[in-house]
Amino acid sequence: MSPIPSNKASIVIVVAAVVVVVLPLFLSVVKHKEFSFSRSQQSSMATEKFGVKIQKNPPESKLTELGVRTWPKWGCGPSKFPWEFTATETMFLLDGKVKVYVDGYDESFEIGAGDLVVFPKGMKVTWDVTKAVNKHYSLEK
């Protein structure tokens, strides 16, 4: 076997370095980007809990489309109280955290800052405001 000429040896070393160093970095970035993309898709998907629709961190385009920033505001400090929705209410929580107990269910769920939530007309709940709430809201006419 004849020795590899030095210029070919240099090329082989550079290619090997690229494969060993750069390729793993590239793959980790690609994997992270795919993970971030799927997480952002999941975070803006709507879920439903006991008939309440919840969309976590909806895109700004959705909020603009709905006119959320023009809706009236309501807020309250930590407290616990019963509530009945006399109209379908859509709300966007700017701040706070609420544990919601829906009448007829043993379990609860939480909503908080960044959530777009729709409560159906006639639903009875108990709101347990654990962190002061500030929200925009719209009542269906």
Side-chain angles (χ1 to χ4, degrees):
M1 221 152 86
S2 63
I4 299 174
S6 74
N7 62 347
K8 285 186 180 179
S10 297
I11 292 171
V12 168
I13 290 170
V14 168
V15 169
V18 167
V19 169
V20 169
V21 175
V22 176
L23 186 60
L25 286 172
F26 174 76
L27 292 175
S28 71
V29 167
V30 168
K31 182 179 178 182
H32 177 72
K33 290 289 185 190
E34 288 173 358
F35 176 72
S36 295
F37 178 72
S38 63
R39 275 187 67 184
S40 67
Q41 274 189 326
Q42 289 174 352
S43 67
S44 68
M45 291 177 53
T47 59
E48 191 169 317
K49 305 273 186 175
F50 314 120
V52 178
K53 294 177 186 162
I54 305 163
Q55 184 174 5
K56 296 197 170 290
N57 301 308
E60 188 61 37
S61 59
K62 171 81 172 182
L63 301 177
T64 300
E65 176 188 320
L66 293 171
V68 167
R69 307 276 186 226
T70 65
W71 295 351
K73 281 186 175 180
W74 178 87
C76 76
S79 53
K80 189 172 184 176
F81 56 91
W83 188 257
E84 182 176 354
F85 291 91
T86 57
T88 296
E89 182 173 337
T90 303
M91 61 184 71
F92 179 69
L93 282 85
L94 299 166
D95 297 300
K97 190 176 281 189
V98 180
K99 197 172 217 180
V100 179
Y101 298 88
V102 177
D103 282 11
Y105 296 94
D106 293 332
E107 297 177 32
S108 63
F109 61 91
E110 282 190 344
I111 56 175
D115 290 348
L116 181 66
V117 187
V118 180
F119 285 92
K121 179 180 181 176
M123 178 170 275
K124 294 179 182 180
V125 301
T126 297
W127 269 45
D128 185 0
V129 180
T130 57
K131 184 177 175 191
V133 167
N134 185 21
K135 69 175 186 172
H136 283 289
Y137 69 96
S138 175
L139 302 175
E140 189 175 280
K141 301 194 190 263

